[in-house]
Amino acid sequence: MPGKQRAQSAQNQIAPAETPDWIFCVSAATVTLCFALSRGFWSQALIAKGALYTLNMLILSACFYVLVRWEENVRKTNLLCLFAFLCGLGFANHNTFVPLTVLFFNYIVYAWYKNVNPQKLTPGNVSAFLFYEMLWLGAVFLAFSPEAFKPLEINAKVEHTLIAFALLLIGAVVYTYDKYRLFWKCMMLVGLGTLLYAYLPIRSLKNPPLDWGDPETFYTFLNHILRKQFGVGPKQPYTVILFSKQIFSYLVEWKNQLTIVLLLASLPGAWLLWKKYRSMFIITSLIYLALSVGFIIMGNIDVNTFNNYLLAVFYIPAFFVSCIWLAYSVCFVVARLKNPGVAFLLLFLPVIPYKTNLFFVDLSRNTVDREYGMNMLASIEPGAIMFTSGDNATFVLAYFNMVEGMRKDVTIYDDKGRIFPNIYGKEFLKMGALDYQRAVNQRQRNFINENSDKAIYFILGGIIFNMDDIFR
C-alpha cells in the first residue's frame, strides 16, 4: 500500500472516512486556542523574552506538520529538505531543539525504511543502528560537556584539532556525497538555518548596550551558544525521593497549564493514537518524555517555588504534545457523535483555560517591577556605584538606565559582567562556574578598595552580600 494511502487509512480509523473536513478544522482550532491560553505559553507570549519560547513552538509545530505531510509520501524529498531547514532554525532559536532533532531523525529513518524498504527493519539492523547512534551521541556529549574546555582557551592544540575535524568532515562529504546525497543536502540545510547565529558576533562587534557573553571571538561565541554561562550540571546526587518530588511537581505544573479537565481529556487521544496511528504515538510520546522527564533528569534541581518557575518554560513543548493528544480525543468524539451542536459547543472549550489562567497572566495592573527599579535608583546617592545581581534587579535597572536614561550619574555593574560594563576582563567569560565565583569575588573586593571614596550599593543575595568581612 502506498505511503499516502496508508496514512489516510490510519486517519480514517480515528474518524470515519465520511467525516466532513470542517470537523477536523473546528477540532484543531479549538485545541489550538486551548494551548494558546495555557498558563505557560500565554504568560510567555506577553513578555519580551517569551518570544524565544513562542517562536520555539511555531518552529516545532511547523516541523510536525511537514513531517506528517512527508510521511504521506516519503519520496517527497523537498519536504524532508524543508524539515531539515526548520530544524536548523530551531537550533538557532533554542537548545531544546537538539534532543527533538535526534528523535525526529530516528522517526524519519524508521518511516523511510517502513515505506521504502521494510525488509531491512530487522531487530539486528535496528539494534546496530541504535548502538552506533549512541556512540555518536556520546562522543558529541563529551565534546561539548562543561568539562571539555576548562578553561576554554585559544591554543595551537585546539586550533589544530578543529582544522583536522573540518578537513575530515569535508572529505567525508566529498567521498560519500553521491551515495548519501539526500543526507548531506539535509545536513547543509540544517547548517543554513543555524547560520542565524552569525548575527551574534556581527552585532557584538558594534558593542551594543546589552552585549551578553561578548560573542566576538570563536571561543566566547561557542561558550554563548552552548550556554556555558549558566554553569555546570546537577549539584546534588540523584535520589529516588528527590526524583519522586520532581515528577510530582511536574504533574502539578501539567495540571496547572491545561486544567485537570483538559489534561484528563488528552489521555484518551494518546491511547487512540496507540491503537490506530502507532508511529505518531511513538514520536509524540518520545518527545513528551524527553521534554518532561528528560529535563527533570538533566536539571536534577531541588523542588521549590523558584525552581519550579524556572523550569516551567522548558516544559511548554511537552504541554504542546498533550494538546496534540487532546485534538485527537476531541476529533474522535465529535466525528462519532455526528452532531453539529457538539462541534459548536467545542468553541467554548477554550473558556476553561481562559478563566483559570487569566488571573496568573494578567499583569496590566502589576507595577511592582517598575516601582522596585525606580525606588532602587531613587535611594542611591549621586555619583555612587551599584552592584546588581539576578534577573529581577539587573534587567529593570538596565531598562531605566539605558532606555529611559535615568540616573546616568550612577555607575552600575552586574555580577556576571554581561549586561553592564565588564570590569572582570574577557578571560572571565571563559571560566567555569566555580572559577568565575572566585574571580568575581576577588575582583569586586579590589574594586571596592580602589573606590573607597565612593558610596557602593549592592543587591541582597549578590556576591558582595556573601562577603562576611565587608557586609555584616
Side-chain angles (χ1 to χ4, degrees), residues 7 12 30 99 154 201 213 217 221 243 264 266 291 300 307 358 361 373 382 395 423 439-440 444:
N12 289 340
T30 301
I154 300 176
T217 68
F221 172 76
F243 182 69
L264 294 176
S266 69
L291 299 179
N300 192 37
N307 287 339
L358 178 62
V361 302
F395 287 106
I423 61 172
V440 172
Q444 289 186 356

Side-chain angles (χ1 to χ4, degrees), residues 377-394:
L377 290 174
S379 63
I380 299 176
E381 296 179 13
I385 296 173
M386 171 72 173
F387 281 94
T388 181
S389 180
D391 290 355
N392 293 332
T394 301

Side-chain angles (χ1 to χ4, degrees), residues 6-18:
R6 186 160 32 242
Q8 288 176 339
S9 64
Q11 194 176 44
N12 289 340
Q13 290 176 351
I14 295 173
E18 65 275 8

Side-chain angles (χ1 to χ4, degrees), residues 4 8 10 47 66 68 95 122 126 133 166 181 257 279 291 325 333 338 340 396 427 444 460:
K4 184 173 182 178
Q8 288 176 339
I47 61 178
V66 172
V68 170
N95 300 65
T122 62
V126 173
E133 184 182 43
R181 184 183 299 268
Q257 296 294 320
S279 61
L291 299 179
W325 297 340
V333 170
K338 300 179 181 180
V396 72
E427 291 299 314
Q444 289 186 356
L460 298 182

Side-chain angles (χ1 to χ4, degrees), residues 265-326:
S266 69
L267 299 180
W271 175 84
L272 186 64
L273 284 178
W274 167 256
K275 299 292 291 184
K276 308 296 184 181
Y277 199 177
R278 192 156 297 181
S279 61
M280 183 56 62
F281 169 82
I282 292 173
I283 185 61
T284 54
S285 298
L286 287 176
I287 289 176
Y288 179 83
L289 292 174
L291 299 179
S292 55
V293 180
F295 278 139
I296 290 174
I297 295 174
M298 288 178 62
N300 192 37
I301 61 178
D302 291 329
V303 177
N304 54 54
T305 302
F306 179 71
N307 287 339
N308 292 345
Y309 168 77
L310 289 180
L311 287 178
V313 293
F314 294 99
Y315 296 144
I316 291 177
F319 304 143
F320 170 77
V321 172
S322 300
C323 287
I324 293 178
W325 297 340
L326 177 62

Side-chain angles (χ1 to χ4, degrees), residues 36-56:
L37 297 172
S38 62
R39 188 176 302 178
F41 185 86
W42 191 1
S43 63
Q44 293 302 310
L46 299 177
I47 61 178
K49 184 184 175 182
L52 175 72
Y53 304 105
T54 53
L55 181 58
N56 203 41

